[in-house]
Amino acid sequence: MLDSALILDATLLPAMMIAVLAGILSFLSPCVLPIVPPYLAYMGGVSVSEMDEAATARRRVLITALFFVLGLSTIFVLLGLAASTMGRALLQAQGWFVPIAGIVVMIFGAHFIGVFRIGFLDREVRVETGDRGGSAFGAYILGLAFAFGWTPCLGPILAAILSLALSEGDVARGAVLMSVYALGLGIPFLLVAAFFPRMKGPMAWMKRHLSQIERASGLLLWTVGLMMVTGQFTAFSFWLLEQFPALAYIG
């Protein structure tokens, strides 16, 4: 059996904190947030107005949203497994690979901050899934398609988290990291599905501030990249242990 202390410890916590924040920022990205209500309504086989007014419609949407999140989580966990497996194979080369990955992540961050623009990152690639609305299975398929197809919009943030998973060099830890990212991205979908009338105000506010959110995403990416280049994740882990000694007993 896997030793939980090896999977979850203070050295992984900084990456998990970044992963969940990255998932939330992915949800708030300009190519995801604006389409959330119609996308959820389509998956549930209802109209946006029905989702706004009828509790039964929201329950139906919530069920399909749950399967949607399971679909995208499936892909992200598989990506985490693949990245960490590759990281184990490249363990001897991590001394130079991780800093190079960090530099790439910093470039993505500079794009989002607005220092410069990378053309292909401003385009979306979506996977057509046919008429899948109204069923749990269809929502699961849409979740798989979402994880694959909403690129390169999610690509830079996802690449940063995959780089962290790769640097872990442990399959289980990589899967945990991507699971946390999937939670950060998926839970907001479930909250909107369950509380759509109450979420309309906050979502409208977030839509008005998408440019600031994008710059915040860029700052997060740039900081993650810098920490990868300089090796500060280890230092941050030791700082966490010094500040919160109880973390040493996790697992």
Side-chain angles (χ1 to χ4, degrees), residues 21-36:
L21 180 57
I24 295 171
L25 289 174
S26 293
F27 175 83
L28 298 176
S29 64
C31 63
V32 175
L33 182 64
I35 55 86
V36 169

Side-chain angles (χ1 to χ4, degrees), residues 86-103 163 166-169 225 227-232 234:
M86 184 181 299
R88 176 181 292 177
L90 297 174
L91 196 59
Q92 293 182 342
Q94 281 189 336
W96 59 264
F97 181 84
V98 174
I100 290 176
I103 292 172
S163 296
L166 192 151
S167 66
E168 290 294 330
M227 293 178 73
M228 293 173 69
V229 170
T230 59
Q232 289 302 304
T234 301

Side-chain angles (χ1 to χ4, degrees), residues 85-211:
T85 299
M86 184 181 299
R88 176 181 292 177
L90 297 174
L91 196 59
Q92 293 182 342
Q94 281 189 336
W96 59 264
F97 181 84
V98 174
I100 290 176
I103 292 172
V104 174
V105 171
M106 291 176 71
I107 292 173
F108 287 152
H111 161 83
F112 279 123
I113 292 171
V115 176
F116 51 79
R117 302 301 294 185
I118 303 173
F120 76 90
L121 295 181
D122 290 323
R123 296 194 298 269
E124 297 178 30
V125 179
R126 302 187 185 183
V127 176
E128 296 296 333
T129 57
D131 187 8
R132 301 282 186 179
S135 71
F137 176 73
Y140 181 79
I141 297 300
L142 282 171
L144 298 176
F146 183 96
F148 274 124
W150 245 257
T151 54
C153 182
L154 298 181
I157 295 179
L158 183 58
I161 306 306
L162 284 173
S163 296
L164 291 177
L166 192 151
S167 66
E168 290 294 330
D170 182 275
V171 174
R173 289 163 66 94
V176 167
L177 199 57
M178 291 304 297
S179 297
V180 172
Y181 172 78
L183 285 176
L185 176 58
I187 287 178
F189 275 99
L190 299 179
L191 291 176
V192 174
F195 306 105
F196 180 65
R198 300 178 186 177
M199 296 295 291
K200 289 169 66 177
M203 288 186 66
W205 181 88
M206 288 183 286
K207 287 179 182 178
R208 291 195 300 270
H209 296 82
L210 281 177
S211 60

Side-chain angles (χ1 to χ4, degrees), residues 16 26 50 75 134 159 231:
M16 291 175 63
S26 293
E50 288 176 318
I75 298 301

Side-chain angles (χ1 to χ4, degrees), residues 205-222:
W205 181 88
M206 288 183 286
K207 287 179 182 178
R208 291 195 300 270
H209 296 82
L210 281 177
S211 60
Q212 292 94 325
I213 292 171
E214 186 175 40
R215 286 195 290 271
S217 302
L219 182 60
L220 173 68
L221 287 178
W222 195 89

